[in-house]
């Protein structure tokens, strides 16, 4: 990638008094995948939706993995830094530096959003993670997350994001001061209607709290 302008992405300004949602698709998705979801979560919000820069068997991803469920953590760290730098570029380029930016990610996209928040808390104001897990196994997180809001939505029988890893993620987030909201439903990997309802309410409440 020669420059951030060359990173394929969608930007829609939305209402200037609403937050911007950084949409992070799952494995095999594209910058267009989560646009319908964003319309259900916060229809007036701005949209910044990039494409995952890593290829795995022709599928777009956000970082490499050694095998399913085993991440290349060095690559997670590198790609989280790239995403934070892209976001800094987008804030300046699109004039959104004074707006809240909340990552909304599914699966692989949730994991890179969480990694960016854990490693570069200045880049994001919040994260909504659907079917995410702890992305930094074996690493120590020292960042101050006291200004970061995180909402986790997981299934209790998700083989791709096991609850043990979600519990580890929650413990790390809380230990670093993040304001954490969790929802665990029955079922496996995916974004269920109850997740969407919960996330929409969380985003609306957070927007009211920030603007008050």
């Amino acid at each position: 990638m020669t420059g951030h302008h060359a990173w394929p992405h969608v930007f829609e300004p939305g209402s200037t008094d609403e937050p911007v949602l950084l949409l992070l698709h799952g494995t095999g998705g594209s910058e267009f995948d989560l646009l319908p979801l964003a319309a259900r979560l916060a229809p007036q919000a701005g949209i910044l939706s990039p494409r995952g820069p890593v290829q795995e068997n022709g599928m777009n991803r956000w970082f490499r993995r050694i095998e399913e469920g085993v991440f290349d953590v060095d690559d997670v760290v590198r790609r989280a830094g790239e995403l934070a730098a892209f976001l800094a570029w987008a804030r300046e380029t699109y004039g959104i530096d004074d707006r809240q930016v909340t990552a909304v990610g599914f699966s692989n996209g949730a994991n890179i959003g969480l990694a960016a928040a854990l490693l570069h808390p200045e880049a994001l104001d919040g994260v909504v993670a659907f079917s995410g897990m702890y992305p930094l196994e074996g690493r120590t997180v020292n960042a101050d997350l006291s200004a970061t809001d995180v909402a986790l939505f997981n299934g209790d029988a998700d083989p791709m994001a096991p609850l043990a890893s979600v519990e580890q993620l929650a413990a790390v987030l809380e230990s670093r001061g993040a304001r954490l909201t969790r929802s665990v439903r029955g079922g496996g990997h995916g974004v269920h209607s109850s997740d969407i309802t919960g996330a929409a309410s969380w985003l609306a409440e957070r927007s009211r709290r920030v603007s008050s």
Side-chain angles (χ1 to χ4, degrees):
M1 191 177 300
T2 57
H4 293 121
H5 66 280
W7 193 326
H9 65 280
V10 172
F11 175 71
E12 299 174 4
S15 175
T16 56
D17 58 355
E18 291 290 324
V20 175
L21 303 184
L22 174 68
L23 303 181
L24 303 168
H25 62 76
T27 298
S30 76
E31 61 270 35
F32 304 106
D33 270 30
L34 297 188
L35 298 181
L37 175 62
R40 296 177 66 183
L41 292 176
Q44 301 303 314
I47 297 297
L48 180 62
S49 185
R51 182 190 305 171
V54 173
Q55 288 286 302
E56 179 183 276
N57 300 320
M59 298 183 296
N60 297 318
R61 278 180 57 83
W62 293 98
F63 54 82
R64 294 193 298 266
R65 57 184 169 182
I66 297 167
E67 58 186 66
E68 188 164 302
V70 181
F71 302 157
D72 180 339
V73 179
D74 287 340
D75 200 51
V76 175
V77 172
R78 174 190 167 197
R79 302 298 181 175
E82 289 180 353
L83 183 61
F86 170 77
L87 186 50
W89 169 86
R91 283 182 184 270
E92 181 177 357
T93 300
Y94 294 121
I96 56 173
D97 207 29
D98 59 342
R99 293 170 68 180
Q100 295 275 312
V101 177
T102 298
V104 175
F106 167 60
S107 190
N108 182 237
N111 294 332
I112 195 63
L114 290 163
L118 289 163
L119 296 169
H120 306 278
E122 75 287 348
L124 288 166
D125 300 290
V127 181
V128 175
F130 297 108
S131 293
M133 58 189 282
Y134 187 57
L136 298 170
E137 186 65 42
R139 303 299 172 95
T140 300
V141 175
N142 296 314
D144 177 5
L145 302 182
S146 59
T148 304
D149 296 323
V150 179
L152 305 179
F153 296 88
N154 292 92
D156 64 4
D158 185 349
M160 297 179 69
L163 277 187
S165 181
V166 181
E167 295 290 348
Q168 181 183 8
L169 168 64
V172 171
L173 287 166
E174 291 188 317
S175 74
R176 303 314 306 161
R179 290 182 291 270
L180 178 62
T181 300
R182 292 190 60 191
S183 177
V184 179
R185 51 162 172 77
H189 207 66
V191 182
H192 288 226
S193 58
S194 61
D195 300 336
I196 296 172
T197 300
S201 295
W202 183 87
L203 285 165
E205 170 61 30
R206 186 173 180 279
S207 184
R208 284 193 297 270
R209 174 161 52 82
V210 169
S211 61
S212 63

